[in-house]
Amino acid sequence: MREQELKEWDYRDILTDELMLVVNRNNPLAGLDQPVPLEAFREEKFILLGHSTQLHRDSLEACARAGFHPNVLYIGSSAENIVRLIEKNAGTALLMGRVAQGLQSRDISVL
């Protein structure tokens, strides 16, 4: 018998990333020179990717670890649309760092 049985699905991490908070640049917490804990955004309206995405689950888990359940304003299917809503100051989102950095604009801050 093998030391470790093969599982039906075997996977390997090929890339790591981190969640980044994406806010409108006019958000009072956007201009701070120090890291801002997620719990500081407990009263914000959140914009999330769809229920079936890992990012949706990760966002809910991150908020739960910070001690709150997010007030979800909108659930969308496109990170670009979410960023457009943030540009219009409609809410806050958690996005993967690589996506968030690539979508930065003059109206958005990535924390």
Side-chain angles (χ1 to χ4, degrees), residues 80-94:
E80 291 174 0
N81 288 341
I82 288 172
V83 169
R84 286 189 186 106
L85 288 169
I86 295 167
E87 287 175 327
K88 296 183 182 306
N89 208 13
T92 298
L94 286 165

Side-chain angles (χ1 to χ4, degrees), residues 71 97 108:
N71 175 13
I108 292 207

Side-chain angles (χ1 to χ4, degrees), residues 8-69:
E8 184 176 340
W9 296 98
D10 191 21
Y11 69 92
R12 295 176 193 217
D13 291 332
I14 57 172
L15 166 63
T16 59
D17 205 344
E18 59 187 342
L19 285 177
M20 304 292 286
L21 194 64
V22 182
V23 300
N24 185 279
R25 70 177 171 94
N26 292 322
N27 186 301
L29 299 173
L32 298 179
D33 291 332
Q34 59 190 12
V36 180
L38 182 56
E39 62 198 30
F41 292 86
R42 74 174 52 246
E43 301 300 322
E44 295 286 324
K45 295 175 184 163
F46 278 79
I47 303 166
L48 303 178
L49 278 178
H51 293 284
S52 65
T53 66
Q54 183 63 44
L55 183 58
H56 183 93
R57 292 183 292 276
D58 289 346
S59 297
L60 294 178
E61 287 175 17
C63 291
R65 283 192 308 273
F68 69 97
H69 183 79

